[in-house]
Amino acid sequence: NAGVTQTPKFQVLKTGQSMTLQCAQDMNHNSMYWYRQDPGMGLRLIYYSASEGTTDKGEVPNGYNVSRLNKREFSLRLESAAPSQTSVYFCASRPWNGGYGYTFGSGTRLTVV
Amino acid sequence: ELKVEQNPLFLSMQEGKNYTIYCNYSTTSDRLYWYRQDPGKSLESLFVLLSNGAVKQEGRLMASLDTKARLSTLHITAAVHDLSATYFCAVDNNNDMRFGAGTRLTVKP
C-alpha cells in the first residue's frame, strides 16, 4: 500500500540545469498536485491536475511545467533551474469528491546552486 | 483570492498546559483541514471539518469550525512532548487547497 511515491528524495542542481520530479499514486485518485514548501510560507500550489488529461496553473507556476502522463503519474519539470527554486517539493493526490483531503508524498528536497 | 492565516506562527508550551491555534480564511469554503508535519517529514492528515459547528477530537487535539466567522481552532489539551511539530490548516479553493503558513509548536518539559 504505497500511497503517493515521489522520486528523487534529494537533488542538487546547478543553475540552468533541468530535471523532472516524478510522482505516482496507487489509490485511483483523480486529482494530483504539486506544491513547494518554503520556510514561513506554508505550501504554495505550483500546478495541479483535476483529472487525467487536464492541468492548470496554481499560485506559483513560473519556471515549471507539468505532465499528467496517465491517471497514476504526474511529473514536474524544471527546464532551467534557478536558486529561487531551492525548496522542498511535495506531490499530493485526492479523490474526485475531495474525500478526506490530500495524501502527500514524502517530498523532494531540491537545492539549486 | 483565498487567503489563509494562522496564528501564532511559533508556540512554545510547557507540558501539561492548554493552548489554541487559530486559522482564519478570507472567502467562503465548506471544508477545512488540519495537518501535522514533523521535521524533515511529509504532512499527515489530522482532521477534516465539513460543516459549520463541526468538532473533531483525537487524543489531546480538538478542532472546530465556524464557517460564519471563517475561523477554525485547534485546541491542545495538557500538551505532551510528542505533540511538538508544525501544524497547518488548509481550506478548499475550487479544485485545490490553500494552506496557512503553519504553526511551529514546541512542547517543553
Side-chain angles (χ1 to χ4, degrees):
Chain A
N1 193 11
V4 179
T5 303
Q6 277 183 248
T7 56
K9 293 190 183 304
F10 301 94
Q11 184 73 49
V12 178
L13 289 179
K14 293 182 179 179
T15 297
Q17 286 186 317
S18 62
M19 78 162 295
T20 300
L21 282 64
Q22 306 286 354
C23 176
Q25 52 91 10
D26 62 2
M27 297 170 289
N28 201 36
H29 286 171
N30 288 77
S31 304
M32 298 185 73
Y33 306 83
W34 278 104
Y35 284 85
R36 60 179 288 173
Q37 183 178 27
D38 301 294
M41 302 189 74
L43 278 76
R44 292 182 293 166
L45 181 66
I46 305 171
Y47 270 93
Y48 68 97
S49 172
S51 61
E52 186 178 358
T54 69
T55 60
D56 285 285
K57 296 178 180 180
E59 301 171 83
V60 289
N62 292 344
Y64 305 95
N65 284 299
V66 291
S67 296
R68 183 76 182 265
L69 303 170
N70 47 55
K71 191 171 186 178
R72 292 185 64 249
E73 299 173 284
F74 188 40
S75 62
L76 178 70
R77 183 159 179 85
L78 287 70
E79 291 291 351
S80 179
S84 61
Q85 294 178 305
T86 294
S87 189
V88 180
Y89 291 85
F90 286 100
C91 178
S93 70
R94 67 174 175 179
W96 69 269
N97 63 355
Y100 291 98
Y102 291 161
T103 300
F104 282 92
S106 58
T108 297
R109 187 173 295 273
L110 175 67
T111 302
V112 183
V113 297
Chain B
E1 181 185 340
L2 174 60
K3 302 283 187 189
V4 182
E5 294 185 353
Q6 279 181 246
N7 69 83
L9 298 183
F10 298 94
L11 179 55
S12 181
M13 298 177 63
Q14 280 193 308
E15 280 190 332
K17 298 293 187 182
N18 304 333
Y19 210 85
T20 300
I21 299 171
Y22 297 88
C23 176
N24 292 275
Y25 54 99
S26 61
T27 63
T28 302
S29 178
D30 57 1
R31 291 188 189 213
L32 189 135
Y33 308 83
W34 284 97
Y35 291 88
R36 168 182 172 143
Q37 184 180 38
D38 292 305
K41 303 292 186 181
S42 187
L43 282 80
E44 171 191 357
S45 179
L46 290 175
F47 300 110
V48 180
L49 302 168
L50 299 176
S51 61
N52 188 42
V55 177
K56 295 279 185 73
Q57 183 162 5
E58 175 95 17
R60 301 174 187 275
L61 300 177
M62 183 174 71
S64 65
L65 177 62
D66 182 343
T67 57
K68 294 179 181 177
R70 297 175 187 166
L71 171 68
S72 179
T73 60
L74 181 65
H75 187 71
I76 302 150
T77 302
V80 293
H81 179 70
D82 284 353
L83 291 179
S84 295
T86 299
Y87 293 85
F88 292 93
C89 64
V91 178
D92 265 347
N93 179 54
N94 297 321
N95 291 314
D96 63 88
M97 199 183 291
R98 299 297 165 101
F99 286 78
T103 297
R104 182 178 294 183
L105 172 66
T106 304
V107 181
K108 299 181 177 180

